[in-house]
Amino acid sequence: MTRFAYSAIPLAGSAFLAWAVRGRSAAVFGPSVWHGPRGRRAIALTFDDGPSESTPQILEALARYDAPATFFQCGANVERLPAVARAVAAAGHAIGNHSYAHPYLFAHGPSAIEQDLRRAQETIQTCTGIRPAWFRAPFGARWFGLAKALKRLELTGVMWTAIGYDWNLKAEGVVERLARRTANGAILCLHDGRELRVDPDIGETVKAVRQLVPMLLDQGYKLETVNRLLCPTT
Ligand SMILES: [Zn+2]
């Protein structure tokens, strides 16, 4: 990273840096998509931090409605639960890269960031046969070096239109929060794991998905993978 970029930050102020790192539409550390086209009544459900022991419950809830989704998997979790990662792919869902070890990117230099993303990319591809085209930053936090790593790995950053806070809220709160923010082209973020935790409790997320999916379908939304939402003609 250049000297200029580092020295520019204190001048710009910490509010700017906070936005650059976490703002859903910020492109300072590389472009990220956070919304699909508003002209179609379609949305994308996305799940981060998996696979986990409970991912099959999410798959079951989605299968009930034939609803495709996108799973941003962590390489370390894929390595731990390869059969679950493969089940996600076999069910027809899209798989994105959510890093290997779920690090805070700002604790690392550009080469470590690229190494982590590449390791996730290779682990996911080896296990599922899918080479991800999309990347979601751990904690939604981007950093120096990320843009270059994404370019080299041919990944596009994807943030979200609305996030469920499903690691914190009860299912009803998650559903209410997401339903209120859903509109044409929305990308909704939930979690089928909790970073790299073994056997995490995602019970509220499972409950939320069971309520949310039929509710959105009733409202006329089509559920699509991120690929389909953002590239409807391919
Ligand atoms: Zn995450």
Side-chain angles (χ1 to χ4, degrees), residues 164-217:
Y165 287 98
D166 51 326
W167 62 92
N168 197 18
L169 296 175
K170 292 280 179 207
E172 292 69 26
V174 174
V175 171
E176 197 267 331
R177 201 188 142 75
L178 291 180
R180 198 156 21 99
R181 291 168 168 81
T182 299
N184 288 3
I187 298 171
L188 307 182
C189 177
L190 289 160
H191 296 76
D192 64 318
R194 298 285 180 265
E195 301 170 30
L196 302 188
R197 244 170 276 164
V198 174
D199 202 9
D201 179 3
I202 63 159
E204 296 303 319
T205 305
V206 172
K207 262 195 250 173
V209 170
R210 287 179 183 150
Q211 293 173 29
L212 190 65
V213 170
M215 180 190 288
L216 295 173
L217 291 172

Short mmCIF file of all heavy atoms in Angstrom, two decimals, residues 164-217:
data_model
loop_
_atom_site.label_atom_id
_atom_site.label_comp_id
_atom_site.label_asym_id
_atom_site.label_seq_id
_atom_site.Cartn_x
_atom_site.Cartn_y
_atom_site.Cartn_z
N GLY A 164 -29.63 -9.01 9.35
CA GLY A 164 -30.64 -9.45 10.31
C GLY A 164 -30.25 -9.35 11.78
O GLY A 164 -31.10 -9.53 12.64
N TYR A 165 -28.99 -9.09 12.10
CA TYR A 165 -28.51 -9.15 13.50
C TYR A 165 -28.99 -10.44 14.15
O TYR A 165 -29.37 -10.47 15.31
CB TYR A 165 -28.98 -7.92 14.29
CG TYR A 165 -28.23 -6.67 13.90
CD1 TYR A 165 -28.77 -5.77 13.00
CD2 TYR A 165 -26.95 -6.41 14.41
CE1 TYR A 165 -28.07 -4.63 12.60
CE2 TYR A 165 -26.25 -5.28 14.02
CZ TYR A 165 -26.82 -4.40 13.11
OH TYR A 165 -26.12 -3.29 12.73
N ASP A 166 -28.94 -11.53 13.36
CA ASP A 166 -29.50 -12.79 13.84
C ASP A 166 -28.61 -13.47 14.87
O ASP A 166 -29.01 -14.46 15.46
CB ASP A 166 -29.80 -13.72 12.65
CG ASP A 166 -28.61 -13.88 11.70
OD1 ASP A 166 -27.85 -12.91 11.51
OD2 ASP A 166 -28.44 -14.99 11.16
N TRP A 167 -27.41 -12.95 15.11
CA TRP A 167 -26.57 -13.48 16.18
C TRP A 167 -26.99 -12.87 17.53
O TRP A 167 -26.50 -13.26 18.57
CB TRP A 167 -25.09 -13.18 15.91
CG TRP A 167 -24.78 -11.70 15.85
CD1 TRP A 167 -24.37 -10.92 16.91
CD2 TRP A 167 -24.84 -10.84 14.70
NE1 TRP A 167 -24.18 -9.62 16.47
CE2 TRP A 167 -24.45 -9.54 15.14
CE3 TRP A 167 -25.17 -11.05 13.36
CZ2 TRP A 167 -24.41 -8.45 14.26
CZ3 TRP A 167 -25.12 -9.96 12.50
CH2 TRP A 167 -24.75 -8.69 12.94
N ASN A 168 -27.91 -11.91 17.48
CA ASN A 168 -28.24 -11.14 18.66
C ASN A 168 -29.74 -11.10 18.94
O ASN A 168 -30.16 -11.15 20.10
CB ASN A 168 -27.70 -9.71 18.42
CG ASN A 168 -27.60 -8.90 19.67
OD1 ASN A 168 -27.60 -9.47 20.76
ND2 ASN A 168 -27.56 -7.60 19.54
N LEU A 169 -30.54 -11.01 17.88
CA LEU A 169 -31.98 -10.83 18.05
C LEU A 169 -32.72 -12.17 18.05
O LEU A 169 -32.24 -13.17 17.53
CB LEU A 169 -32.54 -9.99 16.89
CG LEU A 169 -32.06 -8.55 16.75
CD1 LEU A 169 -32.63 -7.92 15.48
CD2 LEU A 169 -32.46 -7.73 17.97
N LYS A 170 -33.92 -12.15 18.63
CA LYS A 170 -34.83 -13.30 18.52
C LYS A 170 -35.37 -13.34 17.08
O LYS A 170 -35.39 -12.31 16.39
CB LYS A 170 -36.00 -13.13 19.50
CG LYS A 170 -35.57 -13.25 20.95
CD LYS A 170 -35.43 -14.73 21.30
CE LYS A 170 -34.96 -14.89 22.73
NZ LYS A 170 -34.22 -16.15 22.93
N ALA A 171 -35.88 -14.50 16.69
CA ALA A 171 -36.35 -14.69 15.31
C ALA A 171 -37.35 -13.60 14.89
O ALA A 171 -37.25 -13.05 13.79
CB ALA A 171 -36.98 -16.06 15.16
N GLU A 172 -38.29 -13.27 15.77
CA GLU A 172 -39.32 -12.28 15.42
C GLU A 172 -38.67 -10.94 15.10
O GLU A 172 -39.09 -10.23 14.19
CB GLU A 172 -40.33 -12.10 16.57
CG GLU A 172 -41.20 -13.32 16.84
CD GLU A 172 -40.44 -14.50 17.42
OE1 GLU A 172 -39.38 -14.29 18.08
OE2 GLU A 172 -40.87 -15.66 17.19
N GLY A 173 -37.67 -10.58 15.88
CA GLY A 173 -36.96 -9.31 15.67
C GLY A 173 -36.21 -9.32 14.34
O GLY A 173 -36.18 -8.31 13.63
N VAL A 174 -35.63 -10.45 14.02
CA VAL A 174 -34.87 -10.58 12.76
C VAL A 174 -35.83 -10.42 11.58
O VAL A 174 -35.58 -9.66 10.64
CB VAL A 174 -34.18 -11.96 12.68
CG1 VAL A 174 -33.52 -12.16 11.32
CG2 VAL A 174 -33.15 -12.11 13.81
N VAL A 175 -36.96 -11.11 11.66
CA VAL A 175 -37.94 -11.08 10.57
C VAL A 175 -38.48 -9.67 10.40
O VAL A 175 -38.56 -9.14 9.28
CB VAL A 175 -39.10 -12.07 10.85
CG1 VAL A 175 -40.23 -11.89 9.84
CG2 VAL A 175 -38.57 -13.50 10.81
N GLU A 176 -38.82 -9.04 11.52
CA GLU A 176 -39.41 -7.69 11.48
C GLU A 176 -38.41 -6.71 10.85
O GLU A 176 -38.75 -5.91 9.98
CB GLU A 176 -39.77 -7.28 12.91
CG GLU A 176 -40.72 -6.11 13.02
CD GLU A 176 -39.97 -4.80 13.15
OE1 GLU A 176 -38.84 -4.80 13.70
OE2 GLU A 176 -40.51 -3.78 12.70
N ARG A 177 -37.17 -6.82 11.27
CA ARG A 177 -36.11 -5.93 10.80
C ARG A 177 -35.88 -6.08 9.29
O ARG A 177 -35.82 -5.10 8.56
CB ARG A 177 -34.82 -6.34 11.53
CG ARG A 177 -33.77 -5.33 11.59
CD ARG A 177 -32.49 -5.88 12.16
NE ARG A 177 -31.44 -5.25 11.40
CZ ARG A 177 -31.06 -4.01 11.56
NH1 ARG A 177 -31.57 -3.28 12.51
NH2 ARG A 177 -30.14 -3.46 10.80
N LEU A 178 -35.79 -7.33 8.84
CA LEU A 178 -35.52 -7.56 7.42
C LEU A 178 -36.73 -7.24 6.55
O LEU A 178 -36.60 -6.65 5.47
CB LEU A 178 -35.06 -9.01 7.19
CG LEU A 178 -33.69 -9.36 7.76
CD1 LEU A 178 -33.35 -10.82 7.47
CD2 LEU A 178 -32.58 -8.46 7.21
N ALA A 179 -37.91 -7.62 7.03
CA ALA A 179 -39.13 -7.38 6.24
C ALA A 179 -39.30 -5.88 5.99
O ALA A 179 -39.68 -5.45 4.91
CB ALA A 179 -40.35 -7.95 6.96
N ARG A 180 -39.01 -5.09 7.00
CA ARG A 180 -39.16 -3.63 6.91
C ARG A 180 -38.20 -3.03 5.88
O ARG A 180 -38.48 -2.00 5.29
CB ARG A 180 -38.89 -3.03 8.29
CG ARG A 180 -39.41 -1.64 8.47
CD ARG A 180 -39.68 -1.26 9.94
NE ARG A 180 -38.99 -2.04 10.95
CZ ARG A 180 -37.87 -1.65 11.57
NH1 ARG A 180 -37.29 -0.53 11.26
NH2 ARG A 180 -37.33 -2.42 12.51
N ARG A 181 -37.07 -3.67 5.68
CA ARG A 181 -36.05 -3.11 4.80
C ARG A 181 -36.02 -3.77 3.42
O ARG A 181 -35.17 -3.45 2.60
CB ARG A 181 -34.67 -3.24 5.45
CG ARG A 181 -34.51 -2.34 6.66
CD ARG A 181 -33.27 -2.71 7.44
NE ARG A 181 -32.93 -1.71 8.44
CZ ARG A 181 -33.52 -1.64 9.64
NH1 ARG A 181 -34.47 -2.49 9.97
NH2 ARG A 181 -33.15 -0.70 10.50
N THR A 182 -36.89 -4.72 3.19
CA THR A 182 -36.87 -5.43 1.91
C THR A 182 -37.61 -4.63 0.84
O THR A 182 -38.71 -4.15 1.07
CB THR A 182 -37.51 -6.82 2.05
OG1 THR A 182 -36.73 -7.57 3.00
CG2 THR A 182 -37.50 -7.56 0.72
N ALA A 183 -36.96 -4.49 -0.30
CA ALA A 183 -37.57 -3.85 -1.47
C ALA A 183 -36.95 -4.53 -2.68
O ALA A 183 -36.02 -5.35 -2.53
CB ALA A 183 -37.26 -2.36 -1.47
N ASN A 184 -37.42 -4.21 -3.86
CA ASN A 184 -36.88 -4.83 -5.08
C ASN A 184 -35.35 -4.75 -5.09
O ASN A 184 -34.77 -3.69 -4.86
CB ASN A 184 -37.39 -4.09 -6.32
CG ASN A 184 -38.85 -4.38 -6.59
OD1 ASN A 184 -39.50 -5.09 -5.83
ND2 ASN A 184 -39.37 -3.83 -7.68
N GLY A 185 -34.72 -5.87 -5.36
CA GLY A 185 -33.26 -5.89 -5.50
C GLY A 185 -32.49 -6.02 -4.19
O GLY A 185 -31.26 -6.01 -4.20
N ALA A 186 -33.21 -6.18 -3.08
CA ALA A 186 -32.52 -6.22 -1.78
C ALA A 186 -31.64 -7.47 -1.64
O ALA A 186 -31.99 -8.55 -2.12
CB ALA A 186 -33.54 -6.19 -0.64
N ILE A 187 -30.51 -7.28 -0.99
CA ILE A 187 -29.63 -8.39 -0.61
C ILE A 187 -29.69 -8.47 0.92
O ILE A 187 -29.31 -7.52 1.60
CB ILE A 187 -28.18 -8.15 -1.09
CG1 ILE A 187 -28.14 -8.06 -2.63
CG2 ILE A 187 -27.26 -9.26 -0.60
CD1 ILE A 187 -26.80 -7.61 -3.19
N LEU A 188 -30.22 -9.56 1.43
CA LEU A 188 -30.42 -9.70 2.88
C LEU A 188 -29.34 -10.62 3.46
O LEU A 188 -29.03 -11.65 2.88
CB LEU A 188 -31.81 -10.29 3.17
CG LEU A 188 -33.00 -9.57 2.54
CD1 LEU A 188 -34.32 -10.23 2.96
CD2 LEU A 188 -33.01 -8.08 2.92
N CYS A 189 -28.80 -10.23 4.61
CA CYS A 189 -27.70 -10.98 5.21
C CYS A 189 -28.11 -11.66 6.52
O CYS A 189 -28.56 -11.00 7.46
CB CYS A 189 -26.51 -10.04 5.46
SG CYS A 189 -25.12 -10.83 6.26
N LEU A 190 -27.95 -12.98 6.54
CA LEU A 190 -28.16 -13.79 7.74
C LEU A 190 -26.93 -14.66 7.94
O LEU A 190 -25.97 -14.56 7.17
CB LEU A 190 -29.42 -14.65 7.57
CG LEU A 190 -30.76 -13.89 7.60
CD1 LEU A 190 -31.86 -14.69 6.96
CD2 LEU A 190 -31.11 -13.53 9.04
N HIS A 191 -26.95 -15.55 8.93
CA HIS A 191 -25.76 -16.35 9.25
C HIS A 191 -26.13 -17.81 9.52
O HIS A 191 -26.99 -18.06 10.36
CB HIS A 191 -25.05 -15.77 10.48
CG HIS A 191 -24.51 -14.39 10.25
ND1 HIS A 191 -25.32 -13.28 10.24
CD2 HIS A 191 -23.26 -13.97 9.99
CE1 HIS A 191 -24.57 -12.21 9.98
NE2 HIS A 191 -23.32 -12.59 9.83
N ASP A 192 -25.47 -18.73 8.82
CA ASP A 192 -25.69 -20.14 9.13
C ASP A 192 -24.55 -20.70 9.97
O ASP A 192 -24.42 -21.91 10.15
CB ASP A 192 -25.92 -20.99 7.87
CG ASP A 192 -24.72 -21.03 6.94
OD1 ASP A 192 -24.09 -19.98 6.74
OD2 ASP A 192 -24.42 -22.12 6.41
N GLY A 193 -23.73 -19.81 10.51
CA GLY A 193 -22.67 -20.18 11.45
C GLY A 193 -22.36 -18.96 12.30
O GLY A 193 -23.03 -17.92 12.17
N ARG A 194 -21.37 -19.10 13.16
CA ARG A 194 -20.91 -17.97 13.98
C ARG A 194 -19.39 -17.94 13.90
O ARG A 194 -18.72 -18.60 14.68
CB ARG A 194 -21.36 -18.11 15.43
CG ARG A 194 -22.86 -18.13 15.64
CD ARG A 194 -23.48 -16.73 15.50
NE ARG A 194 -24.94 -16.79 15.70
CZ ARG A 194 -25.83 -16.89 14.71
NH1 ARG A 194 -25.43 -16.94 13.46
NH2 ARG A 194 -27.12 -16.95 14.96
N GLU A 195 -18.89 -17.20 12.93
CA GLU A 195 -17.44 -17.19 12.66
C GLU A 195 -16.95 -18.63 12.56
O GLU A 195 -17.56 -19.40 11.81
CB GLU A 195 -16.72 -16.35 13.71
CG GLU A 195 -17.24 -14.90 13.72
CD GLU A 195 -16.75 -14.08 14.89
OE1 GLU A 195 -15.66 -14.34 15.38
OE2 GLU A 195 -17.48 -13.17 15.31
N LEU A 196 -15.91 -19.00 13.35
CA LEU A 196 -15.39 -20.38 13.21
C LEU A 196 -15.85 -21.29 14.34
O LEU A 196 -15.29 -22.37 14.56
CB LEU A 196 -13.85 -20.36 13.14
CG LEU A 196 -13.21 -19.54 12.03
CD1 LEU A 196 -11.71 -19.78 11.98
CD2 LEU A 196 -13.83 -19.81 10.66
N ARG A 197 -16.87 -20.88 15.09
CA ARG A 197 -17.30 -21.66 16.24
C ARG A 197 -17.81 -23.05 15.83
O ARG A 197 -18.49 -23.20 14.82
CB ARG A 197 -18.42 -20.93 16.98
CG ARG A 197 -17.99 -20.52 18.39
CD ARG A 197 -18.99 -19.59 19.01
NE ARG A 197 -18.75 -18.20 18.61
CZ ARG A 197 -19.64 -17.23 18.76
NH1 ARG A 197 -20.84 -17.48 19.27
NH2 ARG A 197 -19.34 -16.00 18.40
N VAL A 198 -17.47 -24.04 16.65
CA VAL A 198 -17.95 -25.41 16.42
C VAL A 198 -19.36 -25.54 16.99
O VAL A 198 -19.62 -25.10 18.11
CB VAL A 198 -16.99 -26.43 17.09
CG1 VAL A 198 -17.55 -27.85 16.98
CG2 VAL A 198 -15.60 -26.35 16.46
N ASP A 199 -20.25 -26.11 16.23
CA ASP A 199 -21.64 -26.33 16.62
C ASP A 199 -22.29 -25.08 17.23
O ASP A 199 -22.80 -25.13 18.35
CB ASP A 199 -21.71 -27.51 17.60
CG ASP A 199 -23.11 -28.12 17.63
OD1 ASP A 199 -23.95 -27.76 16.77
OD2 ASP A 199 -23.37 -28.94 18.53
N PRO A 200 -22.31 -23.98 16.50
CA PRO A 200 -22.90 -22.74 17.04
C PRO A 200 -24.43 -22.85 17.12
O PRO A 200 -25.02 -23.64 16.38
CB PRO A 200 -22.51 -21.71 15.98
CG PRO A 200 -22.42 -22.49 14.72
CD PRO A 200 -21.90 -23.85 15.10
N ASP A 201 -25.00 -22.08 18.00
CA ASP A 201 -26.46 -22.07 18.13
C ASP A 201 -27.04 -21.07 17.14
O ASP A 201 -26.93 -19.86 17.33
CB ASP A 201 -26.83 -21.68 19.57
CG ASP A 201 -28.35 -21.63 19.76
OD1 ASP A 201 -29.08 -21.96 18.80
OD2 ASP A 201 -28.79 -21.26 20.86
N ILE A 202 -27.65 -21.58 16.08
CA ILE A 202 -28.26 -20.68 15.10
C ILE A 202 -29.78 -20.90 15.05
O ILE A 202 -30.44 -20.67 14.04
CB ILE A 202 -27.64 -20.82 13.68
CG1 ILE A 202 -27.86 -22.23 13.11
CG2 ILE A 202 -26.15 -20.50 13.71
CD1 ILE A 202 -27.73 -22.27 11.59
N GLY A 203 -30.31 -21.34 16.19
CA GLY A 203 -31.74 -21.66 16.27
C GLY A 203 -32.64 -20.49 15.87
O GLY A 203 -33.65 -20.69 15.19
N GLU A 204 -32.30 -19.30 16.30
CA GLU A 204 -33.14 -18.13 15.98
C GLU A 204 -33.09 -17.83 14.48
O GLU A 204 -34.08 -17.40 13.90
CB GLU A 204 -32.72 -16.91 16.80
CG GLU A 204 -32.92 -17.06 18.31
CD GLU A 204 -34.36 -17.38 18.72
OE1 GLU A 204 -35.28 -16.80 18.14
OE2 GLU A 204 -34.54 -18.24 19.61
N THR A 205 -31.93 -18.07 13.87
CA THR A 205 -31.82 -17.85 12.42
C THR A 205 -32.70 -18.84 11.66
O THR A 205 -33.41 -18.47 10.73
CB THR A 205 -30.34 -18.02 11.97
OG1 THR A 205 -29.53 -17.15 12.75
CG2 THR A 205 -30.17 -17.69 10.50
N VAL A 206 -32.66 -20.10 12.09
CA VAL A 206 -33.47 -21.12 11.43
C VAL A 206 -34.95 -20.74 11.53
O VAL A 206 -35.69 -20.77 10.54
CB VAL A 206 -33.22 -22.52 12.06
CG1 VAL A 206 -34.20 -23.55 11.51
CG2 VAL A 206 -31.77 -22.95 11.82
N LYS A 207 -35.37 -20.34 12.74
CA LYS A 207 -36.77 -19.93 12.95
C LYS A 207 -37.11 -18.73 12.06
O LYS A 207 -38.17 -18.67 11.45
CB LYS A 207 -36.98 -19.50 14.42
CG LYS A 207 -37.58 -20.60 15.28
CD LYS A 207 -38.10 -20.00 16.58
CE LYS A 207 -37.22 -20.44 17.73
NZ LYS A 207 -37.53 -19.79 19.00
N ALA A 208 -36.20 -17.78 12.00
CA ALA A 208 -36.43 -16.57 11.20
C ALA A 208 -36.60 -16.93 9.73
O ALA A 208 -37.49 -16.40 9.05
CB ALA A 208 -35.27 -15.58 11.39
N VAL A 209 -35.76 -17.84 9.23
CA VAL A 209 -35.84 -18.22 7.81
C VAL A 209 -37.18 -18.89 7.53
O VAL A 209 -37.82 -18.63 6.51
CB VAL A 209 -34.66 -19.15 7.44
CG1 VAL A 209 -34.85 -19.75 6.05
CG2 VAL A 209 -33.35 -18.37 7.50
N ARG A 210 -37.63 -19.73 8.46
CA ARG A 210 -38.91 -20.42 8.27
C ARG A 210 -40.07 -19.44 8.18
O ARG A 210 -41.06 -19.68 7.51
CB ARG A 210 -39.16 -21.41 9.42
CG ARG A 210 -38.27 -22.63 9.30
CD ARG A 210 -38.49 -23.59 10.46
NE ARG A 210 -37.58 -24.72 10.38
CZ ARG A 210 -37.12 -25.39 11.43
NH1 ARG A 210 -37.50 -25.04 12.65
NH2 ARG A 210 -36.29 -26.39 11.27
N GLN A 211 -39.97 -18.30 8.88
CA GLN A 211 -41.04 -17.30 8.81
C GLN A 211 -40.85 -16.36 7.62
O GLN A 211 -41.81 -15.98 6.95
CB GLN A 211 -41.04 -16.45 10.10
CG GLN A 211 -41.42 -17.21 11.35
CD GLN A 211 -41.24 -16.37 12.61
OE1 GLN A 211 -41.35 -15.15 12.57
NE2 GLN A 211 -40.95 -17.01 13.71
N LEU A 212 -39.61 -15.98 7.40
CA LEU A 212 -39.32 -14.93 6.42
C LEU A 212 -39.58 -15.39 4.98
O LEU A 212 -40.15 -14.63 4.18
CB LEU A 212 -37.85 -14.51 6.57
CG LEU A 212 -37.40 -13.28 5.80
CD1 LEU A 212 -38.11 -12.02 6.30
CD2 LEU A 212 -35.88 -13.09 5.91
N VAL A 213 -39.16 -16.59 4.65
CA VAL A 213 -39.24 -17.04 3.25
C VAL A 213 -40.69 -17.06 2.75
O VAL A 213 -41.01 -16.44 1.73
CB VAL A 213 -38.51 -18.39 3.05
CG1 VAL A 213 -38.81 -18.97 1.67
CG2 VAL A 213 -37.02 -18.21 3.24
N PRO A 214 -41.63 -17.71 3.47
CA PRO A 214 -43.01 -17.68 2.98
C PRO A 214 -43.60 -16.27 2.96
O PRO A 214 -44.37 -15.93 2.07
CB PRO A 214 -43.78 -18.59 3.96
CG PRO A 214 -42.88 -18.79 5.12
CD PRO A 214 -41.48 -18.58 4.65
N MET A 215 -43.18 -15.43 3.92
CA MET A 215 -43.69 -14.06 3.97
C MET A 215 -43.25 -13.29 2.72
O MET A 215 -44.06 -12.61 2.07
CB MET A 215 -43.14 -13.37 5.23
CG MET A 215 -43.58 -11.94 5.39
SD MET A 215 -42.69 -11.09 6.73
CE MET A 215 -43.40 -11.87 8.14
N LEU A 216 -42.00 -13.41 2.35
CA LEU A 216 -41.48 -12.68 1.17
C LEU A 216 -42.11 -13.22 -0.12
O LEU A 216 -42.44 -12.45 -1.02
CB LEU A 216 -39.96 -12.78 1.10
CG LEU A 216 -39.22 -12.10 2.25
CD1 LEU A 216 -37.72 -12.39 2.18
CD2 LEU A 216 -39.45 -10.59 2.25
N LEU A 217 -42.29 -14.54 -0.18
CA LEU A 217 -42.92 -15.13 -1.38
C LEU A 217 -44.37 -14.63 -1.50
O LEU A 217 -44.83 -14.29 -2.59
CB LEU A 217 -42.87 -16.66 -1.30
CG LEU A 217 -41.47 -17.28 -1.44
CD1 LEU A 217 -41.53 -18.78 -1.16
CD2 LEU A 217 -40.86 -17.02 -2.81
#
